[in-house]
Amino acid sequence: MFIQNITCEFVKNSISIDCQHPRFSWEIVAEKNNVFQKAWQMIVRNEENVIVWDSGVQETPDTTDISYQGEKLKSTSVYHYQITVWTNTGEMLQSGENYFETAFFDHSDWKAKWMEPEPLPQLPQNPLLEAKKEWQKITEAMMHGDMSAMKTEEDIWEALPMEPYDPAVQMRRVFRADKPVKRARLYVTSHGIYEVKINGKSVTDSRLNPGFTAYDRRLKYQVYNVDELVQNGENAISVTVADGWYKGKIALGHGCEYGEVPGALLQLEMIDENGKKQVICSDENWKYSFDGPVRSADLFLGETYDARRYDGEPSEIEYDDKKWLQVRTHTMENPIPEAQISPLAKVFEEVPAQSVFVTPNGETVVDFGQNLAGTIRVKIQEEIGTEVKFEHGEMLDGQGNFFYVFAGTSRAQEDIYICGEKREEIFEPHFTYHGFRYVRVTGGADWKKEDFTALAISTENEVTGNFQCSDEQINQLQSNIYWSQRSNNITIPTDCPTREKAGWTGDVVVYGATALYNQNMTAFYEDWLRSIRLDQLENGYVLGTVPQIRNYVQQGDTGSLGWGDVILTLPLQLYQFYGDKEVLQANYEAMEEWMQSMERAAHELPSEAVPYGGSQTEQNCDERSLENQRYLINTGFHFGDWIIPSVVNEEGFTDGPASAFLTMNYVGSSLLAADADMFSEISELVGNMENAEKYCAYANRVRQAFEEEYVSEDGKLGQEMQGNYILALRHHMVSPEKEPLLAERLNELVVKNGFRLDTGFMATPHILDILCQYGYADTAWKVLLQKQCPSWLYEVEQGATTVWENWDAVRTDGKLAGCSFNHYAFGCVGDFLYRKVLGIQNTGIGYDKILIAPEYDCPFKWAEGTYHSVNGNIELRWEKNKNQVKISGRIPANTSACLKLPDGTEKELGNGWFEVKAGLDSGIKE
């Protein structure tokens, strides 16, 4: 029996703590059954071995979210701590010694200045400002009734010039360490993406730092342990900064959305054996050059590397920088950088090429066999000056040729290498990333698959879940979900790694529960929630993309139900999965502002609104009906049930905007009630009973309005879409006696559609649960196993290795949609696989109470998997054999589980190892 997985702020042995009350968690591992923690004690010591906090013996079972309550923590200090646990079996457990280090608590801790090169020429007018002006003209014209002035964002941007693609800037200096270094820490951030080296070695194996934030509101710095890199005597340090999110061409944008000049802020603190501190900062002592080999580096277009320009490593002491120029500096201004505690993005898997082949149109293409997000590493042996272009794409077209819808645009995903003098060279881009399975190679010759490796990149969130069953196509679906999740959590949660790389909030609303099964997302999501709060508008709107994609000028001041809901759904999920109550309190004010904004949106009648979206429903209304309109969504724009497969454009592909305009009234009204329910629940959890009661009543009033206005006496909705029925049932929008009627009608619609779903973002997560809940499990299983389009397994049948954005991304006639083929939203079915097929369900907080309840009538012979909860690893396997099922597994210590048997009865399991055999038509056999 022992203690493991000890974390501080959800990270093991963090060196970047910048809060005064960090939270601790641990797990108890026991071979015995029914082991529970009775009490705990934590002792924290400073570097002088003086106790700064002794919790005393706390007689509680709590092992998560334990907040430090000791003396005030000091900046850049090391603290050691030990945990003692007493169990119900009479044993005392002691952890080994753990530590955490603090970063900077005060602005004054920063001695560094921002350093920059002299600016390179940019456009005289910033394209983003011009785009915003154009959209303002359009909206003013539309408000005066001139709808002919309407332009798409693409049209606006197409008429504007592009900022130049600039080379990365290199900055360096030499310094002397006066005495042997005992501890060295580097604190660094940048305007752009940086890479730091000391004495020829990189300070980290992480990528794309400092990550994506709204740089004018929030800037994160990273902390690195460089004990082994700093040497006694002379040293050299260099930092290379490329455009990144700060200056690059993001999504539709044409560049320089946060600034025109790359820069770095860097502070190296070294402590010798006598405790004396020496500090090296970014200041006037640095020099810079734009003449390095990275000639351009853009997150969307790609990286160009000219090896002929490589003249040595600037972080080596002997490097010749005589032609370099002195940097310019300026003092730190807002925002003050904050330490990044959450994990960094890294290469998590190297994927060797499966083949190199020539396509029917004569092009050389590399196939890695797996769609992913990242870069390539390639061995090149060509003559000096040879230019080789590597274009990245996700698919081949119907004829077997390379396909990428944005080829030839600012999102072309093309890396270029110009060969230098070496006989064999290695090209590995560091300042970009792409979404791809295939790479088209232009230039060079005699390519072999052994020359190519794909480097899959993702934020290093711990993998916590796995699922397998007797159906190999469902297993492939689970793999597709996993790879899409890894591909779309790169510094922030994104929609896709190709077209946008954007933090669409609605995708996390849809997919959050599945994400939390697959990986420990606590620190990552808490970090993103801080960005959501900072980007929230004064009127309470939570934006569709966070950080806001500012070149989406049409969405700059809007908030949509189903997307902004993330400020409610995500904190509540983090609390339920991890027992993280602080996340509720931290986001509560933002939640309330969001709810008030949506109340105002509902209260507005169409005749009072700007003529944009909604429906004219109050004409000829009686007094009650008119009052009902003020509790329904009938104005403004909301995304509704985004991307319904039956709603198509003139080319026959799914039409997202049309889906939104069609369904946003019904869907938005259901989500309004759901939001009010969630906020009422959260209010009660944080002790605000006034809001709890207010919003419970408000949710019920929305339901009354919905039923009176949208539901007929025979239980049919005025707009008969699968998603409308699903969400009305999921959020109990009708009286209990009508729910069976709606469920019956939903089942009819699904059956009539050939057991194929016809749902978009908001309804898809719930379709299988709702069908099972209301007695149509057989229909649910047929939907899950459906192989015709649209369905999950249609994608598998088509060879997909990730989840598609659109159900019809590859049509049955072989035509490809202009969408993403790596988009986790519809992978939300993973949550159902864990809960209902495998059967691991959370009935407490942080899985302290667990229900094992597989759907025994599911069409699988067996299922197995694990979920590593905050309390420990839950292992489960069940297998059917004729009319019997065997269920076995392990429940972590300090939790308790209950097993639901095929006949509906329940058996208490406690914790530890268990094995139960039961009849599929009766109770326990043995």
Side-chain angles (χ1 to χ4, degrees), residues 695-769:
Y695 283 95
C696 179
Y698 182 78
N700 289 333
R701 182 64 186 91
V702 172
R703 290 186 174 96
Q704 288 177 355
F706 184 97
E707 183 165 1
E708 291 174 19
E709 300 301 318
Y710 292 160
V711 187
S712 66
E713 286 300 318
D714 61 352
K716 291 184 179 179
L717 298 178
Q719 185 185 63
E720 292 217 291
M721 307 289 291
Q722 285 184 24
N724 291 344
Y725 279 95
I726 290 163
L727 291 168
L729 290 165
R730 171 67 179 84
H731 302 305
H732 303 288
M733 300 304 295
V734 299
S735 51
E737 57 270 18
K738 282 189 179 176
E739 286 189 353
L741 298 176
L742 265 70
E744 182 181 11
R745 182 56 181 155
L746 169 64
N747 186 64
E748 290 173 358
L749 291 174
V750 176
V751 173
K752 186 178 179 180
N753 200 42
F755 296 98
R756 294 173 299 166
L757 44 70
D758 191 32
T759 52
F761 270 34
M762 292 297 113
T764 297
H766 310 298
I767 181 171
L768 301 180
D769 278 299

Side-chain angles (χ1 to χ4, degrees), residues 61-107:
D62 300 336
T63 61
T64 64
D65 216 25
I66 306 296
S67 179
Y68 172 83
Q69 298 298 328
E71 295 177 13
K72 185 177 180 179
L73 300 173
K74 297 178 181 179
S75 296
T76 63
S77 299
V78 181
Y79 293 88
H80 295 268
Y81 63 97
Q82 192 169 41
I83 298 162
T84 304
V85 164
W86 291 267
T87 72
N88 62 319
T89 60
E91 295 178 72
M92 182 181 77
L93 312 176
Q94 281 194 318
S95 72
E97 194 169 81
N98 303 274
Y99 71 88
F100 66 90
E101 291 185 32
T102 55
F104 297 151
F105 285 118
D106 301 311
H107 182 187

Side-chain angles (χ1 to χ4, degrees), residues 5-13 23-26 81:
N5 279 355
I6 299 167
T7 63
C8 176
E9 282 301 298
F10 310 104
V11 177
K12 296 175 183 177
N13 296 329
R23 294 160 291 172
F24 301 91
S25 298
W26 61 87
Y81 63 97

Side-chain angles (χ1 to χ4, degrees), residues 112-116 191 265 328-333:
K113 300 175 183 177
W114 278 100
M115 61 180 181
E116 300 173 343
H191 289 153
L265 183 74
R328 65 180 193 174
T329 64
H330 61 85
T331 56
M332 188 187 304
E333 300 172 353

